[in-house]
Amino acid sequence: MKHPLLTVLAPLLDDAQGIRQVYFADNRHPAPDLSSLVNYPRIELVLAGEQSVAWVGHQGERQRQLLLPGDALFVPAQGWHCPHWQRPVTTLSLRFNKQQLGYSLLKWDGRDPIPQGKDSVARRGSRVGSFTLQALSELAAHHNDQPTARFLVKGLLSHAIDLFGSSAPVASRSQTLFVAVRDYLEAHFREPLTRESVAQFFGISPNYLSHLFQKSGGMGFNESLNHVRLEQARHLLRDDNNMKVKDVAQACGFVDSNYFCRLFRKNNRCSPSVYRSRQRSEPAVDE
């Protein structure tokens, strides 16, 4: 059985024009509200449809671009980008942290997110792929060299296929268990889950569950659970203008609405109410 990454990326890599344009975000400027900021480099790629994305360029200029199929955005560590989910689109996000390579394949039908695949795999040493990432980072100041940029992005996509493809037949028990627990959280996030209750459900110790998330997920159990719940909260705030904030919190598994508001503000740099109002007032993209 083919890995999902091979299915979506093979046609793109086989096509000489598969990567249409490579854009570069900068990491020397503060991230605005509602943006996505992480401490490792990543590539955001549009596979189908179109998506408006904002970021800050190498000269400090704020950019907003309508990305088309084959367009890629390279975001360095501590950099940010802000996607706008308005039109049907399928995107791939590749995340290169020191120990693991992760990917998220997402389809947006114009109203709801439809996950198409998400996984992570151990990298083969910290240097494998790192030189290509470094070259891509240095190319940000010379982004007119598109042939080299497209070549480097294709190299990283091929590297991702190689890692995930070779790991599929020999997936470890711990990785299989991690995927099962992660899927369980995404299906039961509304319930009063705890580390102890989830560990008991899977017949493992709470300490091993914590170790599993740190090793395979790159973040702790509670952080992962809150990440799932906050993502659902953002969808509810965008889609339901009449739902009270405390009801959003309860629908996403938060017992304490005050704690939900503090956590939401910490992760989104604004309150749930402000987030909702900004989403409603977000202007359409000019074509």
PDB file of all heavy atoms in Angstrom, residues 106-124:
ATOM      1  N   LEU A 106      -4.186  18.333   4.590  1.00  0.00           N
ATOM      2  CA  LEU A 106      -5.502  18.835   4.978  1.00  0.00           C
ATOM      3  C   LEU A 106      -6.272  19.334   3.766  1.00  0.00           C
ATOM      4  O   LEU A 106      -5.723  20.038   2.913  1.00  0.00           O
ATOM      5  CB  LEU A 106      -5.350  19.975   5.986  1.00  0.00           C
ATOM      6  CG  LEU A 106      -6.640  20.589   6.545  1.00  0.00           C
ATOM      7  CD1 LEU A 106      -7.373  19.575   7.413  1.00  0.00           C
ATOM      8  CD2 LEU A 106      -6.320  21.838   7.359  1.00  0.00           C
ATOM      9  N   LYS A 107      -7.527  18.971   3.719  1.00  0.00           N
ATOM     10  CA  LYS A 107      -8.430  19.474   2.685  1.00  0.00           C
ATOM     11  C   LYS A 107      -9.455  20.380   3.346  1.00  0.00           C
ATOM     12  O   LYS A 107     -10.051  20.016   4.360  1.00  0.00           O
ATOM     13  CB  LYS A 107      -9.124  18.316   1.965  1.00  0.00           C
ATOM     14  CG  LYS A 107     -10.095  18.765   0.869  1.00  0.00           C
ATOM     15  CD  LYS A 107     -10.727  17.570   0.169  1.00  0.00           C
ATOM     16  CE  LYS A 107     -11.693  18.017  -0.909  1.00  0.00           C
ATOM     17  NZ  LYS A 107     -12.329  16.859  -1.596  1.00  0.00           N
ATOM     18  N   TRP A 108      -9.662  21.569   2.778  1.00  0.00           N
ATOM     19  CA  TRP A 108     -10.670  22.507   3.268  1.00  0.00           C
ATOM     20  C   TRP A 108     -11.723  22.636   2.171  1.00  0.00           C
ATOM     21  O   TRP A 108     -11.423  23.033   1.052  1.00  0.00           O
ATOM     22  CB  TRP A 108     -10.026  23.853   3.573  1.00  0.00           C
ATOM     23  CG  TRP A 108     -10.987  24.926   3.967  1.00  0.00           C
ATOM     24  CD1 TRP A 108     -11.540  25.871   3.163  1.00  0.00           C
ATOM     25  CD2 TRP A 108     -11.502  25.179   5.282  1.00  0.00           C
ATOM     26  NE1 TRP A 108     -12.373  26.682   3.889  1.00  0.00           N
ATOM     27  CE2 TRP A 108     -12.373  26.282   5.182  1.00  0.00           C
ATOM     28  CE3 TRP A 108     -11.309  24.572   6.523  1.00  0.00           C
ATOM     29  CZ2 TRP A 108     -13.042  26.803   6.291  1.00  0.00           C
ATOM     30  CZ3 TRP A 108     -11.989  25.090   7.619  1.00  0.00           C
ATOM     31  CH2 TRP A 108     -12.830  26.192   7.505  1.00  0.00           C
ATOM     32  N   ASP A 109     -12.965  22.259   2.492  1.00  0.00           N
ATOM     33  CA  ASP A 109     -14.009  22.242   1.462  1.00  0.00           C
ATOM     34  C   ASP A 109     -14.755  23.561   1.334  1.00  0.00           C
ATOM     35  O   ASP A 109     -15.770  23.648   0.637  1.00  0.00           O
ATOM     36  CB  ASP A 109     -14.991  21.098   1.713  1.00  0.00           C
ATOM     37  CG  ASP A 109     -15.778  21.261   3.021  1.00  0.00           C
ATOM     38  OD1 ASP A 109     -15.596  22.302   3.696  1.00  0.00           O
ATOM     39  OD2 ASP A 109     -16.566  20.371   3.357  1.00  0.00           O
ATOM     40  N   GLY A 110     -14.257  24.595   2.004  1.00  0.00           N
ATOM     41  CA  GLY A 110     -14.919  25.887   1.996  1.00  0.00           C
ATOM     42  C   GLY A 110     -15.677  26.156   3.273  1.00  0.00           C
ATOM     43  O   GLY A 110     -16.078  27.296   3.543  1.00  0.00           O
ATOM     44  N   ARG A 111     -15.845  25.091   4.088  1.00  0.00           N
ATOM     45  CA  ARG A 111     -16.541  25.253   5.359  1.00  0.00           C
ATOM     46  C   ARG A 111     -15.874  24.494   6.496  1.00  0.00           C
ATOM     47  O   ARG A 111     -15.672  25.017   7.577  1.00  0.00           O
ATOM     48  CB  ARG A 111     -17.996  24.789   5.227  1.00  0.00           C
ATOM     49  CG  ARG A 111     -18.775  24.845   6.538  1.00  0.00           C
ATOM     50  CD  ARG A 111     -20.231  24.492   6.367  1.00  0.00           C
ATOM     51  NE  ARG A 111     -20.929  24.444   7.654  1.00  0.00           N
ATOM     52  CZ  ARG A 111     -21.387  25.509   8.282  1.00  0.00           C
ATOM     53  NH1 ARG A 111     -21.217  26.704   7.741  1.00  0.00           N
ATOM     54  NH2 ARG A 111     -22.005  25.398   9.439  1.00  0.00           N
ATOM     55  N   ASP A 112     -15.496  23.248   6.236  1.00  0.00           N
ATOM     56  CA  ASP A 112     -14.940  22.398   7.290  1.00  0.00           C
ATOM     57  C   ASP A 112     -13.598  21.810   6.869  1.00  0.00           C
ATOM     58  O   ASP A 112     -13.382  21.516   5.689  1.00  0.00           O
ATOM     59  CB  ASP A 112     -15.900  21.241   7.611  1.00  0.00           C
ATOM     60  CG  ASP A 112     -17.241  21.726   8.130  1.00  0.00           C
ATOM     61  OD1 ASP A 112     -17.234  22.509   9.088  1.00  0.00           O
ATOM     62  OD2 ASP A 112     -18.280  21.331   7.571  1.00  0.00           O
ATOM     63  N   PRO A 113     -12.681  21.626   7.843  1.00  0.00           N
ATOM     64  CA  PRO A 113     -11.404  20.947   7.548  1.00  0.00           C
ATOM     65  C   PRO A 113     -11.618  19.436   7.491  1.00  0.00           C
ATOM     66  O   PRO A 113     -12.337  18.867   8.311  1.00  0.00           O
ATOM     67  CB  PRO A 113     -10.526  21.345   8.734  1.00  0.00           C
ATOM     68  CG  PRO A 113     -11.488  21.545   9.855  1.00  0.00           C
ATOM     69  CD  PRO A 113     -12.761  22.074   9.242  1.00  0.00           C
ATOM     70  N   ILE A 114     -11.001  18.799   6.503  1.00  0.00           N
ATOM     71  CA  ILE A 114     -11.103  17.348   6.357  1.00  0.00           C
ATOM     72  C   ILE A 114      -9.680  16.780   6.356  1.00  0.00           C
ATOM     73  O   ILE A 114      -8.986  16.827   5.333  1.00  0.00           O
ATOM     74  CB  ILE A 114     -11.825  16.960   5.054  1.00  0.00           C
ATOM     75  CG1 ILE A 114     -13.184  17.672   4.965  1.00  0.00           C
ATOM     76  CG2 ILE A 114     -12.005  15.455   4.967  1.00  0.00           C
ATOM     77  CD1 ILE A 114     -13.871  17.490   3.641  1.00  0.00           C
ATOM     78  N   PRO A 115      -9.192  16.268   7.501  1.00  0.00           N
ATOM     79  CA  PRO A 115      -7.832  15.718   7.538  1.00  0.00           C
ATOM     80  C   PRO A 115      -7.663  14.574   6.552  1.00  0.00           C
ATOM     81  O   PRO A 115      -8.486  13.672   6.479  1.00  0.00           O
ATOM     82  CB  PRO A 115      -7.692  15.239   8.991  1.00  0.00           C
ATOM     83  CG  PRO A 115      -8.726  15.999   9.758  1.00  0.00           C
ATOM     84  CD  PRO A 115      -9.864  16.193   8.806  1.00  0.00           C
ATOM     85  N   GLN A 116      -6.588  14.630   5.773  1.00  0.00           N
ATOM     86  CA  GLN A 116      -6.287  13.604   4.786  1.00  0.00           C
ATOM     87  C   GLN A 116      -5.128  12.708   5.208  1.00  0.00           C
ATOM     88  O   GLN A 116      -4.869  11.685   4.573  1.00  0.00           O
ATOM     89  CB  GLN A 116      -5.956  14.262   3.440  1.00  0.00           C
ATOM     90  CG  GLN A 116      -7.038  15.176   2.902  1.00  0.00           C
ATOM     91  CD  GLN A 116      -8.276  14.422   2.477  1.00  0.00           C
ATOM     92  OE1 GLN A 116      -8.235  13.622   1.549  1.00  0.00           O
ATOM     93  NE2 GLN A 116      -9.377  14.655   3.167  1.00  0.00           N
ATOM     94  N   GLY A 117      -4.418  13.120   6.245  1.00  0.00           N
ATOM     95  CA  GLY A 117      -3.294  12.324   6.719  1.00  0.00           C
ATOM     96  C   GLY A 117      -2.391  13.162   7.608  1.00  0.00           C
ATOM     97  O   GLY A 117      -2.227  14.363   7.379  1.00  0.00           O
ATOM     98  N   LYS A 118      -1.844  12.536   8.633  1.00  0.00           N
ATOM     99  CA  LYS A 118      -0.942  13.231   9.548  1.00  0.00           C
ATOM    100  C   LYS A 118      -0.067  12.190  10.225  1.00  0.00           C
ATOM    101  O   LYS A 118      -0.563  11.169  10.698  1.00  0.00           O
ATOM    102  CB  LYS A 118      -1.727  14.036  10.586  1.00  0.00           C
ATOM    103  CG  LYS A 118      -0.861  14.797  11.563  1.00  0.00           C
ATOM    104  CD  LYS A 118      -1.681  15.776  12.390  1.00  0.00           C
ATOM    105  CE  LYS A 118      -2.697  15.087  13.258  1.00  0.00           C
ATOM    106  NZ  LYS A 118      -3.397  16.035  14.149  1.00  0.00           N
ATOM    107  N   ASP A 119       1.254  12.446  10.238  1.00  0.00           N
ATOM    108  CA  ASP A 119       2.149  11.459  10.832  1.00  0.00           C
ATOM    109  C   ASP A 119       3.502  12.122  11.093  1.00  0.00           C
ATOM    110  O   ASP A 119       3.753  13.250  10.638  1.00  0.00           O
ATOM    111  CB  ASP A 119       2.331  10.259   9.911  1.00  0.00           C
ATOM    112  CG  ASP A 119       2.740   9.000  10.658  1.00  0.00           C
ATOM    113  OD1 ASP A 119       3.015   9.090  11.867  1.00  0.00           O
ATOM    114  OD2 ASP A 119       2.789   7.922  10.020  1.00  0.00           O
ATOM    115  N   SER A 120       4.348  11.431  11.805  1.00  0.00           N
ATOM    116  CA  SER A 120       5.723  11.891  12.028  1.00  0.00           C
ATOM    117  C   SER A 120       6.631  10.680  12.016  1.00  0.00           C
ATOM    118  O   SER A 120       6.206   9.552  12.272  1.00  0.00           O
ATOM    119  CB  SER A 120       5.844  12.642  13.364  1.00  0.00           C
ATOM    120  OG  SER A 120       5.480  11.805  14.443  1.00  0.00           O
ATOM    121  N   VAL A 121       7.912  10.920  11.692  1.00  0.00           N
ATOM    122  CA  VAL A 121       8.875   9.839  11.608  1.00  0.00           C
ATOM    123  C   VAL A 121      10.220  10.373  12.076  1.00  0.00           C
ATOM    124  O   VAL A 121      10.526  11.561  11.919  1.00  0.00           O
ATOM    125  CB  VAL A 121       8.973   9.310  10.153  1.00  0.00           C
ATOM    126  CG1 VAL A 121       9.522  10.372   9.216  1.00  0.00           C
ATOM    127  CG2 VAL A 121       9.815   8.039  10.081  1.00  0.00           C
ATOM    128  N   ALA A 122      11.009   9.493  12.683  1.00  0.00           N
ATOM    129  CA  ALA A 122      12.325   9.907  13.163  1.00  0.00           C
ATOM    130  C   ALA A 122      13.239  10.229  11.990  1.00  0.00           C
ATOM    131  O   ALA A 122      13.242   9.529  10.969  1.00  0.00           O
ATOM    132  CB  ALA A 122      12.936   8.802  14.023  1.00  0.00           C
ATOM    133  N   ARG A 123      13.997  11.311  12.131  1.00  0.00           N
ATOM    134  CA  ARG A 123      14.963  11.658  11.094  1.00  0.00           C
ATOM    135  C   ARG A 123      16.220  10.800  11.258  1.00  0.00           C
ATOM    136  O   ARG A 123      16.531  10.330  12.350  1.00  0.00           O
ATOM    137  CB  ARG A 123      15.310  13.144  11.185  1.00  0.00           C
ATOM    138  CG  ARG A 123      14.127  14.039  10.872  1.00  0.00           C
ATOM    139  CD  ARG A 123      14.449  15.502  11.041  1.00  0.00           C
ATOM    140  NE  ARG A 123      15.455  15.954  10.068  1.00  0.00           N
ATOM    141  CZ  ARG A 123      15.924  17.191  10.025  1.00  0.00           C
ATOM    142  NH1 ARG A 123      15.502  18.094  10.880  1.00  0.00           N
ATOM    143  NH2 ARG A 123      16.814  17.529   9.119  1.00  0.00           N
ATOM    144  N   ARG A 124      16.949  10.621  10.179  1.00  0.00           N
ATOM    145  CA  ARG A 124      18.159   9.789  10.211  1.00  0.00           C
ATOM    146  C   ARG A 124      19.356  10.640  10.609  1.00  0.00           C
ATOM    147  O   ARG A 124      20.227  10.957   9.800  1.00  0.00           O
ATOM    148  CB  ARG A 124      18.385   9.171   8.838  1.00  0.00           C
ATOM    149  CG  ARG A 124      17.283   8.236   8.403  1.00  0.00           C
ATOM    150  CD  ARG A 124      17.483   7.793   6.981  1.00  0.00           C
ATOM    151  NE  ARG A 124      16.346   7.017   6.493  1.00  0.00           N
ATOM    152  CZ  ARG A 124      16.015   6.938   5.220  1.00  0.00           C
ATOM    153  NH1 ARG A 124      16.717   7.591   4.310  1.00  0.00           N
ATOM    154  NH2 ARG A 124      14.979   6.218   4.838  1.00  0.00           N
TER     155      ARG A 124
END
